[in-house]
Amino acid sequence: MPAASTGPTTLSIDPASFFSDTGDPATVLPVLSTENSSYEVFINGVLQMEDLTTYTPGATGVGSLVITVPDGSSILAGSPIVLVVTNYAPTSDVDIAT
């Protein structure tokens, strides 16, 4: 993040500002699976409340993470912002012996 953001304001982050699990630059924010997904946002290692963020999947120019910075708060320049997206497919195996 190049400059400090002092509230009340919103900070919009493009997919190209993130890195993938492999350390490569991200090109797209993944789609969240219906009912089996979540996302979490950490700023300076602190989990942020869901109401302060808006996640939009998609490539650069479409996808974004928008963070609402409340009045009296700020995000300092250089603060690490970590986005964790989790999509999972629950499965179960049942063996019935009679």
Side-chain angles (χ1 to χ4, degrees):
M1 192 170 72
S5 295
T6 301
T9 191
T10 56
L11 173 64
S12 183
I13 305 173
D14 191 74
S17 296
F18 291 102
F19 294 95
S20 70
D21 292 342
T22 61
D24 296 322
T27 57
V28 64
L29 295 179
V31 173
L32 297 172
S33 299
T34 304
E35 297 182 24
N36 292 319
S37 63
S38 65
Y39 75 93
E40 298 172 319
V41 178
F42 296 83
I43 301 174
N44 280 332
V46 178
L47 179 62
Q48 301 302 297
M49 295 184 307
E50 183 179 3
D51 291 348
L52 297 178
T53 61
T54 303
Y55 178 84
T56 304
T60 297
V62 175
S64 67
L65 175 68
V66 176
I67 301 170
T68 300
V69 182
D71 191 20
S73 298
S74 61
I75 301 174
L76 301 176
S79 296
I81 298 175
V82 177
L83 170 63
V84 178
V85 176
T86 305
N87 285 310
Y88 57 95
T91 61
S92 67
D93 294 325
V94 177
D95 292 326
I96 299 175
T98 57

